[in-house]
Amino acid sequence: MSNVVKSGGDAPNNATTSNTFAQSVESQAQIADAARESSPDVGENEALNIYRLVPVAAPDDPRWDNSPNQGEIVVAARTSGDARIVASARELDFMEVDAAPAEDVSTRNASAFRDDKLYTVIEISHGRRDVQRGILEGEVSLDVIYPVQG
């Protein structure tokens, strides 16, 4: 039983939305990425934007304890959200080393790049077709997982 209430209008409230599945830019990009496995032509000459990811939290912010500050980086990506994904993909994941906290558990979402309180994303160029999706400037350290660190 739904506790949703509707005010105004004559249409019944069935607690559904008119949104359609897999129509967002991110969903379409994921579908294209999956298709790339079978065809190298998918994504060729794709219009990408250039984004700068800039740390905005104070150096003593406790959020940096979870994931280290990597400094500024510049990436080519589809959207600002995709820019965060591109940056975080360069970091190691628990799934890639012998440090997994549990089977099938990823630490990708714990990246500082995905935290809007730690990093902001600034678009610096739009609709470029002369770049590949990925990191263009800056260094992303791989040793963000404690067992990998010295």
Side-chain angles (χ1 to χ4, degrees):
M1 173 179 247
S2 174
N3 62 353
V4 178
V5 231
K6 182 177 181 179
S7 57
D10 295 333
N13 184 358
N14 59 4
T16 61
T17 177
S18 60
N19 294 349
T20 54
F21 179 72
Q23 297 302 311
S24 71
V25 172
E26 286 82 6
S27 293
Q28 291 299 314
Q30 289 173 346
I31 292 167
D33 287 344
R36 186 173 286 118
E37 294 298 320
S38 61
S39 171
D41 299 329
V42 176
E44 285 295 317
N45 203 26
E46 180 178 14
L48 297 172
N49 305 319
I50 309 299
Y51 296 96
R52 175 174 280 118
L53 281 82
V54 181
V56 291
D60 62 344
D61 189 310
R63 289 182 191 93
W64 292 120
D65 293 343
N66 294 331
S67 188
N69 184 340
Q70 302 271 11
E72 281 192 28
I73 66 163
V74 177
V75 301
R78 297 173 181 114
T79 64
S80 60
D82 187 45
R84 292 181 184 277
I85 291 168
V86 167
S88 66
R90 186 67 65 92
E91 297 174 332
L92 276 180
D93 184 32
F94 271 122
M95 297 294 288
E96 297 169 343
V97 295
D98 294 334
E103 204 171 315
D104 197 31
V105 175
S106 175
T107 54
R108 288 271 183 241
N109 295 329
S111 171
F113 295 119
R114 296 185 114 181
D115 187 339
D116 62 348
K117 303 287 193 265
L118 294 176
Y119 273 88
T120 190
V121 180
I122 303 165
E123 183 176 330
I124 57 177
S125 183
H126 188 77
R128 301 266 305 266
R129 294 189 183 275
D130 60 330
V131 292
Q132 290 281 99
R133 184 173 174 258
I135 295 178
L136 302 177
E137 294 176 20
E139 294 294 322
V140 177
S141 176
L142 295 177
D143 61 350
V144 294
I145 299 174
Y146 289 117
V148 176
Q149 295 175 359

